């Protein structure tokens, strides 16, 4: 199975780049399954139902989120209407929406996708992400109820992300970190066969501060005083993510490589997809 994960879409420039390029990527690369993190898609803060639907229409099979999931008030209600929309699974019981789901890939494979949020340097501090993952895996084990299992681990600390990867190694197909908006260079297959990358990066304007126009963040670092609001940067976007080939026999990873399409960062596609 051939899977593409795209990191946090930031603002209009980020989401538009994804919508424009994704259909062609699915066709040209023969992608079986696509996951997109959309938690910063609405001006950098949250996601609206219209943006979610456009992302699904562009070819995403699942849209994940993170700590900004509720920044747009409508998300509290529309999350209940869409099974392909995920918020972190380790929110307390009774929180609207769902944190994981079982979906069918284009090749017929059953794909479990789970959205988990870390707790180190994160707000709000949610339930234990490791216990949450254990509960998900216990009811839907790899190669029993699911042919592939993917975790979007939305967290700040790379140590927490790496430990989470080791925790599910051999029991999940792929663990990818989101939230920091900067792609890491540690894509690898762990000892047990789980593909791992600490952060997929963002889909947005990299002439910025994490996808935001850089003047106001820079001002706050220097003066410690706000002069205005953070606004999503509007320059050309680079699409960042990661590609994984997953064994149909074992459900574990066979290959992993970064994906970067657009200006500023060096463009790259997995050689095994060319």
């Amino acid at each position: 199975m051939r899977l593409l994960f795209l990191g946090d879409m930031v603002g209009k420039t980020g989401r538009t780049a994804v919508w424009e390029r994704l259909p062609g990527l699915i066709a040209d690369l023969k992608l079986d399954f696509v996951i997109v993190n959309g938690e910063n898609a609405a001006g950098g803060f949250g996601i609206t139902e219209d943006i979610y639907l456009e992302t699904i229409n562009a070819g995403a099979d699942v849209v994940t989120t993170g700590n900004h999931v509720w920044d747009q008030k409508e998300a509290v209600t529309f999350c209940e209407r869409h099974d392909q929309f995920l918020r972190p699974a380790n929110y307390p019981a009774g929180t609207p929406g769902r944190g994981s789901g079982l979906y069918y890939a284009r090749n017929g494979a059953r794909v479990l996708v789970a959205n988990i949020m870390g707790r180190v340097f994160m707000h709000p501090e949610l339930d234990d992400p490791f216990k949450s993952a254990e509960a998900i895996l216990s009811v839907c084990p790899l190669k029993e109820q699911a042919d592939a299992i993917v975790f979007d681990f939305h967290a700040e600390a790379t140590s927490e992300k790496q430990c989470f990867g080791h925790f599910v190694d051999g029991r999940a197909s792929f663990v990818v970190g989101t939230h920091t908006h900067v792609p890491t260079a540690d894509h690898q297959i762990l000892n047990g066969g789980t593909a791992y990358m600490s952060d997929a990066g963002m889909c947005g304007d990299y002439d910025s501060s994490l996808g935001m126009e850089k003047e106001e963040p820079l001002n706050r670092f220097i003066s410690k005083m706000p002069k205005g609001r953070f606004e999503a940067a509007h320059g050309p976007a680079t699409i960042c993510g990661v590609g994984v080939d997953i064994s149909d026999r074992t459900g574990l990873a066979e290959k992993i490589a970064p994906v970067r399409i657009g200006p500023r960062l060096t463009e790259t596609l997995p050689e095994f997809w060319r």
Side-chain angles (χ1 to χ4, degrees):
M1 184 177 73
R2 183 161 289 181
L3 183 145
L4 174 66
F5 183 96
L6 296 181
D8 310 39
M9 295 188 297
V10 181
K12 184 177 181 179
T13 188
R15 67 181 188 253
T16 301
V18 171
W19 297 344
E20 290 177 349
R21 295 299 299 269
L22 187 54
L25 290 172
I26 292 170
D28 295 343
L29 303 176
K30 298 179 173 59
L31 300 176
D32 296 307
F33 202 79
V34 177
I35 305 167
V36 179
N37 187 295
E39 74 143 15
N40 301 117
F45 300 97
I47 184 170
T48 66
E49 186 170 22
D50 286 345
I51 292 173
Y52 159 78
L53 291 172
E54 285 283 354
T55 307
I56 294 295
N57 290 338
D61 295 286
V62 178
V63 175
T64 55
T65 56
N67 58 301
H68 288 291
V69 61
W70 310 125
D71 283 6
Q72 302 295 320
K73 292 182 179 179
E74 65 183 88
V76 176
T77 54
F78 85 71
C79 69
E80 299 278 17
R81 295 195 289 269
H82 301 292
D83 291 343
Q84 294 163 274
F85 180 83
L86 298 182
R87 46 83 173 158
N90 48 332
Y91 266 97
T95 302
R98 59 192 300 166
S100 63
L102 191 65
Y103 309 95
Y104 283 94
R106 292 168 185 82
N107 67 344
R110 301 163 299 171
V111 184
L112 172 66
V113 182
N115 196 179
I116 305 280
M117 198 163 98
R119 297 201 292 187
V120 178
F121 308 129
M122 295 293 287
H123 179 79
E125 185 173 309
L126 303 185
D127 296 340
D128 186 336
F130 296 88
K131 288 183 178 179
S132 180
E134 190 65 53
I136 291 168
L137 291 171
S138 68
V139 299
C140 195
L142 185 62
K143 297 311 294 180
E144 293 183 25
Q145 278 73 39
D147 300 305
I149 296 176
V150 180
F151 284 95
D152 174 349
F153 193 69
H154 196 81
E156 181 76 28
T158 50
S159 58
E160 187 180 21
K161 292 177 177 181
Q162 289 175 346
C163 284
F164 184 86
H166 293 304
F167 179 69
V168 301
D169 186 21
R171 300 189 291 162
S173 311
F174 179 33
V175 172
V176 59
T178 54
H179 180 64
T180 65
H181 293 199
V182 178
T184 55
D186 63 338
H187 55 281
Q188 60 184 293
I189 297 177
L190 302 177
N191 293 338
T194 297
Y196 173 85
M197 187 173 181
S198 289
D199 204 285
M202 69 174 181
C203 298
D205 178 5
Y206 276 83
D207 183 17
S208 67
S209 174
L210 305 183
M212 295 290 140
E213 294 286 1
K214 53 186 177 286
E215 289 76 17
E216 181 57 19
L218 181 59
N219 162 66
R220 295 190 191 188
F221 278 117
I222 294 171
S223 72
K224 311 302 180 186
M225 294 290 291
K227 288 184 178 178
R229 299 175 60 187
F230 282 8
E231 301 285 347
H234 298 292
T238 297
I239 294 172
C240 282
V242 59
V244 180
D245 273 359
I246 298 169
S247 169
D248 295 331
R249 181 179 61 86
T250 66
L252 296 172
E254 295 180 322
K255 299 174 182 177
I256 179 174
V259 172
R260 297 182 197 125
I261 305 168
R264 303 196 73 85
L265 304 186
T266 301
E267 289 205 6
T268 180
L269 276 175
E271 287 295 330
F272 51 88
W273 284 3
R274 295 182 186 274

